[in-house]
Amino acid sequence: MGAADAVPGVSGGTIALITGIYDRLIAAFTSASPALVRRVLADLVRDRGDLRTVFREVDGAFLLALGAGIATAILTVTRALDTALETMPVLTYGFFFGLIAASAVVLRDEVSLDTLGRAAAGVTGVVVAFVASGSASAALGESLAATFLAGAVAVSAMILPGISGSLLLVILGQYERMTGALSAFVDALLALVTGGSVATVVDTAGPVVAFLAGGVVGLLTVAHAIRAALEARRAATLAFLVGLIVGALRAPVARVTEEVGAWTGGVLAEFAVAAVVGALLVAGVERAAGGIDLD
């Protein structure tokens, strides 16, 4: 799931479906709530023995094992992608374009636009993502507050097969920044082991801590809001979410334009080949999952 979540267009939720842990994942995620957090804080003060009960209620052992695996994969995959974005931006963003496009195709059967409201939701999703992903510099920005918000939105996407948290980071203009920030933070930690400076660790920790804090809040709030929206207006919510994917196709194109300035025949060919590879990867994952069903 960590490897999938690190790549825009590939959903960790889909991997959870393939491996048969999706229902358990959803139960564990949605068991976390502000009320549970208050209960844990109270238990820390008066009754630490009850913490074991809370740990079992949220399927803590499962989440710890899953979290360790996700973290390990993200640390390795994001480093590779950070290097690829710096050295091969056209190929990398072309690959992302194929991933995103294929994800929209895979989810086509989940979308119904048979009413005006659903069609409006889908169009709204396309427009929001298209406008937001036009330029990295025009997106959320680089403040810690923006990073916090990006973490909340991206992590909450883990509850939906077919919706990629990294794709949402691309839309928000945070993907390249966060892969770089995570690589810098890990480098600082590794350097600390060999005599590096603690100050460097502190300097690079800000974006990572803000993103993780946003992720925790996202699981406690945004994920529940998405789940409530799906229960109340499932068809319209799915139309909006898939609309986001379609609109996000602008993001890789815009990033390549920022990198190369003008599109040449060579750039287009390079981009297209990488896009085909990305699309084939999503098709293979979807085939392994036996098709994505969001019901």
Side-chain angles (χ1 to χ4, degrees):
M1 283 183 64
D5 285 325
V7 179
V10 182
S11 168
T14 300
I15 304 302
L17 276 178
I18 294 172
T19 55
I21 65 169
Y22 184 71
D23 289 339
R24 190 174 181 183
L25 176 70
I26 294 301
F29 274 5
T30 55
S31 67
S33 65
L36 184 67
V37 172
R38 290 192 295 271
R39 179 180 164 192
V40 169
L41 293 176
D43 288 342
L44 286 174
V45 176
R46 64 172 185 245
D47 184 10
R48 297 188 180 184
D50 193 44
L51 290 175
R52 289 190 294 271
T53 301
V54 174
F55 186 78
R56 288 192 294 270
E57 287 179 8
V58 299
D59 207 354
F62 166 74
L63 289 178
L64 283 178
L66 185 68
I70 288 175
T72 300
I74 286 178
L75 289 174
T76 54
V77 173
T78 53
R79 177 174 293 277
L81 289 173
D82 183 46
T83 301
L85 285 167
E86 290 182 1
T87 60
M88 302 178 294
V90 176
L91 280 174
T92 305
Y93 280 119
F95 180 67
F96 289 172
F97 184 92
L99 293 171
I100 296 166
S103 295
V105 172
V106 163
L107 289 169
R108 67 188 183 281
D109 292 335
E110 299 297 330
V111 178
S112 174
L113 303 177
D114 55 351
T115 68
L116 182 60
R118 294 170 184 175
V123 171
T124 300
V126 173
V127 171
V128 167
F130 186 85
V131 172
S133 59
S135 170
S137 60
L140 283 181
E142 298 186 358
S143 67
L144 291 181
T147 305
F148 179 90
L149 177 60
V153 172
V155 172
S156 65
M158 290 175 65
I159 70 170
L160 291 172
I163 307 297
S164 166
S166 290
L167 169 60
L168 298 181
L169 290 182
V170 171
I171 294 174
L172 296 172
Q174 297 292 312
Y175 183 79
E176 189 168 355
R177 174 172 172 258
M178 287 312 303
T179 56
L182 183 58
S183 294
F185 179 63
V186 172
D187 286 342
L189 288 177
L190 293 175
L192 185 62
V193 176
T194 58
S197 170
V198 175
T200 304
V201 175
V202 174
D203 289 341
T204 57
V208 177
V209 173
F211 186 87
L212 292 175
V216 171
V217 172
L219 287 179
L220 295 174
T221 56
V222 180
H224 288 269
I226 291 175
R227 191 170 179 84
L230 285 170
E231 291 174 354
R233 296 286 187 273
R234 186 174 195 84
T237 303
L238 286 174
F240 176 78
L241 291 171
V242 176
L244 287 178
I245 296 176
V246 175
L249 286 169
R250 183 186 183 188
V253 176
R255 303 300 181 270
V256 171
T257 302
E258 291 173 358
E259 292 285 343
V260 303
W263 286 72
T264 64
V267 170
L268 182 59
E270 190 177 350
F271 186 90
V273 169
V276 170
V277 174
L280 290 175
L281 174 61
V282 171
V285 171
E286 191 268 345
R287 183 179 179 84
I292 295 176
D293 183 2
L294 298 181
D295 291 331

